[in-house]
Amino acid sequence: MIADSGIQGDAHAGILPNRQVSLLATESIEKIRNKGLDIHFGDFAENLTTEGVILHLLPLGTRLKIGPDVLTEVTQIGKVCHDRCAIFNTIGDCVMPREGIFVKVLTEGVVRVGDEITLIS
């Protein structure tokens, strides 16, 4: 992750300062799976999928340390979907607009699968 930009190589990096990296909880994805849709990590176009943190309940400004080096700050909860995605069109619901969050990268570093996320108050 690159400070003040996002994920290196991501199409959205450096474009929207308040939406540098998107996160969605596995628990949110499970809500859609429970409606009968076979979806996988990344199907919501989220950059990172988390587990054990109820992301959409975090206050704006919450800092998240991801792995040993990366520090991020929550800048947005949910998003407006002007065009309905394939998931919404298939089952009439999508969790990303309600439960996905966006962070900006404060301290850069490498994020790896399995890295711990720590809430910093």
Side-chain angles (χ1 to χ4, degrees), residues 66-86:
I66 306 172
D69 302 316
V70 176
L71 183 63
T72 66
E73 183 177 300
V74 177
T75 55
Q76 184 174 325
I77 309 294
K79 66 176 188 170
V80 175
C81 286
H82 299 287
D83 297 320
R84 298 294 186 187
C85 67

Side-chain angles (χ1 to χ4, degrees), residues 13 16 23 25 27 33 47-48 53 56 58 63 90:
L16 296 172
L23 292 83
E27 294 84 353
R33 285 183 179 153
N47 295 121
L48 301 175
V53 178
H56 64 281
L58 297 174
R63 292 186 175 196
T90 301

Side-chain angles (χ1 to χ4, degrees), residues 1-4 66 69-72 104-110:
M1 291 203 193
I2 307 299
D4 295 321
I66 306 172
D69 302 316
V70 176
L71 183 63
T72 66
K104 65 181 176 182
V105 180
L106 302 175
T107 306
E108 63 185 60
V110 177

Side-chain angles (χ1 to χ4, degrees), residues 6 10-11 14 22 31 36-37 47 49 52 56-58 62-64 68 72 75 78 82 85 88 95-97 103 121:
D10 184 72
S22 61
K31 291 177 184 179
L37 192 60
N47 295 121
T49 306
H56 64 281
L57 296 182
L58 297 174
T62 300
R63 292 186 175 196
L64 305 173
T72 66
T75 55
H82 299 287
C85 67
F88 184 91
V95 292
M96 190 65 184
V103 299
S121 56

